[in-house]
Amino acid sequence: MTRARDVANIDGILTTTGDTFYASAAATPARLGVGSTGQVLTVASGLPSWATPTAVGNFTHINASGSTTSFASSADVKVLFTTENYDTLGEFASSRFTATTAGYYLVCAGVGTDPQALGANTLYATSIYKNGSNAFRGAVYAVYNVTGRLSARVSAVVSLAVNDYIEIYFNQNATTTTTGAADGPQTFVTIDRIVS
């Protein structure tokens, strides 16, 4: 084929704005008409085609925040979240996430305290509990006697089977009861299924 003939073939094949030029077989030019809004270019049976992507709703994505839970000294206490911001598959209830699909889940959580006196060498720890047992813990220490807020955070990839569950717990060894922060940026949990 000459260059002039190639251009003529393209001009005769591409008829609509957004058309795509491809080879349907060796040295056989073809036209793929423009797809619809929201469609993605994919390959089916070895040829390009347009398809509607799978809905995002089939993946777990939950976020809850805030807690006014009182945390006694030196005890793991379940965090009771006050706000469920979103839960794409309805897997989060009563501050417990229960997996409806087996897979690996990214769990991120943090528990903040209301302003209070923080004693020297005081431990504040947030834990991811799997099926009622402490699986992962993130901790922070107050080194000096100060007054302020503190936030202990933890994140982990957790393997879950169907009906396995996740809860968030908090522990602190101050001499008095600590109250969780009601605001979302300080106290939260986010869970996303990343691999099935």
Side-chain angles (χ1 to χ4, degrees):
M1 274 185 156
T2 65
R3 176 113 173 97
R5 186 169 171 203
D6 290 344
V7 172
N9 282 338
I10 291 172
D11 287 344
I13 292 173
L14 302 179
T15 61
T16 307
T17 301
D19 284 353
T20 302
F21 188 67
Y22 72 99
S24 61
T28 306
R31 168 190 174 268
L32 176 63
V34 65
S36 301
T37 300
Q39 287 189 315
V40 295
L41 187 59
T42 187
V43 175
S45 301
L47 297 174
S49 62
W50 294 105
T52 302
T54 304
V56 175
N58 67 349
F59 279 94
T60 297
H61 189 61
I62 70 106
N63 178 268
S65 60
S67 178
T68 55
T69 307
S70 292
F71 302 105
S73 180
S74 301
D76 281 4
V77 178
K78 181 179 173 181
V79 179
L80 302 176
F81 294 97
T82 54
T83 304
E84 182 180 299
N85 300 308
Y86 44 82
D87 178 6
T88 58
L89 297 179
E91 297 169 297
F92 192 76
S94 301
S95 297
R96 174 185 283 186
F97 168 79
T98 304
T100 58
T101 302
Y104 291 91
Y105 292 77
L106 175 60
V107 180
C108 301
V111 177
T113 65
D114 278 340
Q116 61 186 309
L118 305 173
N121 300 315
T122 303
L123 168 73
Y124 297 85
T126 299
S127 296
I128 299 169
Y129 268 53
K130 175 182 173 182
N131 298 332
S133 296
N134 190 345
F136 301 94
R137 178 170 285 201
V140 64
Y141 289 89
V143 179
Y144 302 104
N145 289 316
V146 295
T147 298
R149 298 181 83 160
L150 196 135
S151 181
R153 298 180 181 215
V154 61
S155 62
V157 174
V158 183
S159 175
L160 297 177
V162 173
N163 293 323
D164 280 353
Y165 63 92
I166 294 288
E167 296 170 308
I168 304 304
Y169 279 72
F170 185 74
N171 184 311
Q172 55 88 20
N173 66 357
T175 57
T176 59
T177 297
T178 299
T179 303
D183 63 326
Q186 294 290 323
T187 303
F188 67 92
V189 61
T190 300
I191 302 174
D192 293 286
R193 180 163 45 93
I194 53 176
V195 178
S196 294

